Amino acid sequence: PSPLGDTPQIVMGACWHLLWSGDRELAQRWWPDIRRCLALLDANDADGDSLEDRPNTPYPEQPDPGTFNHEMLYVQCFWHQAFDRAAAVAAWLGLQEARTLSEKATSIRSSIAAKFSRPDGLAVWLDAEHCPHPHVGHEAIIAAAEGDVDERIARLVVETALRAPIWTADGPLRAEPGKGVAAGNHVWAFMRWKLVQALLRLGDTDRALDLVERWAAQERALFYQAPE
């Protein structure tokens, strides 16, 4: 529903490229567009909670969440990461706005915990009253893998992903069975590597490496790989 250039993922990619390349001339050229994209968060945050109110910004193939169409978890995760990386670029360039961008990233992270937390980790979608969608979804793994929530919440997310009803030998299902979510009975390959990343971030290396060995062997045998 929105141009590809108007998403937080584009900001994340641009900022990582600049930090890796050290290209200050390119950074000066890109910075106005980075700031323009970042401004879209506040432009689409009607309730002022530092969370974007458009549920399908990342990709158009998201299933219709019904009334839970106010805020989506991994949209907010991407915004947190975008502001965090932009703050790093601004600091590298010596820009005064580095502090403001860092504070915004912290605000987004706090709001994710405050609005999306539930006993099993994190909700995937919220309605206008911030009530959580009832299904358990694998998108919460992104927050655990990327540091978008604190360790306590990240551990809840990981433990939920590693047990029924969404755990399988091939990885976590897209969504809890029986909730009518599109492709809920599928394991998305990239998310199982996000789960490995989350386990490593939490220091659970034995479990992480067990999954790495199992899934890497499977992917080699089946001649496919995850995009990430």
Side-chain angles (χ1 to χ4, degrees):
S2 63
L4 184 62
D6 287 343
T7 61
Q9 299 95 297
I10 295 298
V11 174
M12 290 157 54
C15 290
W16 276 120
H17 176 83
L18 294 173
L19 292 168
W20 287 338
S21 70
D23 190 333
R24 289 180 175 270
E25 181 180 349
L26 186 62
Q28 296 291 347
R29 294 212 322 265
W30 282 4
W31 189 248
D33 277 335
I34 288 172
R35 292 295 289 118
R36 181 187 59 79
C37 280
L38 291 174
L40 292 173
L41 173 57
D42 285 342
N44 291 281
D45 177 20
D47 52 5
D49 58 3
S50 293
L51 303 174
E52 186 185 348
D53 299 335
R54 297 180 295 173
N56 288 343
T57 297
Y59 302 108
E61 77 270 16
Q62 287 298 323
D64 182 358
T67 59
F68 297 91
N69 61 355
H70 178 59
E71 291 161 350
M72 181 182 182
L73 176 63
Y74 77 91
V75 177
Q76 323 309 333
C77 293
F78 290 158
W79 279 119
H80 169 250
Q81 295 164 42
F83 273 90
D84 181 70
R85 291 301 82 203
V89 171
W92 166 57
L93 294 175
L95 301 177
Q96 291 185 344
E97 57 192 312
R99 180 176 178 178
T100 301
L101 294 170
S102 180
E103 290 173 349
K104 184 67 171 182
T106 299
S107 177
I108 297 167
R109 192 174 189 263
S110 297
S111 288
I112 290 172
K115 302 294 185 179
F116 285 89
S117 289
R118 46 189 264 178
D120 56 14
L122 293 165
V124 175
W125 290 298
L126 303 177
D127 67 12
E129 304 302 320
H130 294 106
C131 295
H133 194 286
H135 94 284
V136 178
H138 71 180
E139 288 94 332
I141 297 170
I142 292 175
E146 299 293 344
D148 301 314
V149 289
D150 64 26
E151 182 177 332
R152 181 190 67 82
I153 297 174
R155 288 193 180 279
L156 283 173
V157 167
V158 167
E159 293 305 322
T160 297
L162 288 169
R163 66 171 183 259
I166 65 170
W167 179 250
T168 74
D170 290 326
L173 293 173
R174 160 77 179 83
E176 183 180 6
K179 289 296 193 297
V181 177
N185 60 335
H186 296 175
V187 173
W188 287 10
F190 83 91
M191 198 62 81
R192 59 186 191 173
W193 294 106
K194 285 291 185 186
L195 177 59
V196 167
Q197 183 181 343
L199 287 167
L200 291 172
R201 176 179 283 274
L202 294 169
D204 197 344
T205 54
D206 288 343
R207 268 202 295 193
L209 294 177
D210 176 66
L211 295 177
V212 167
E213 291 176 354
R214 184 193 316 174
W215 290 337
Q218 182 193 57
E219 293 193 5
R220 173 177 290 186
L222 296 176
F223 297 102
Y224 72 87
Q225 65 187 62
E228 283 71 12

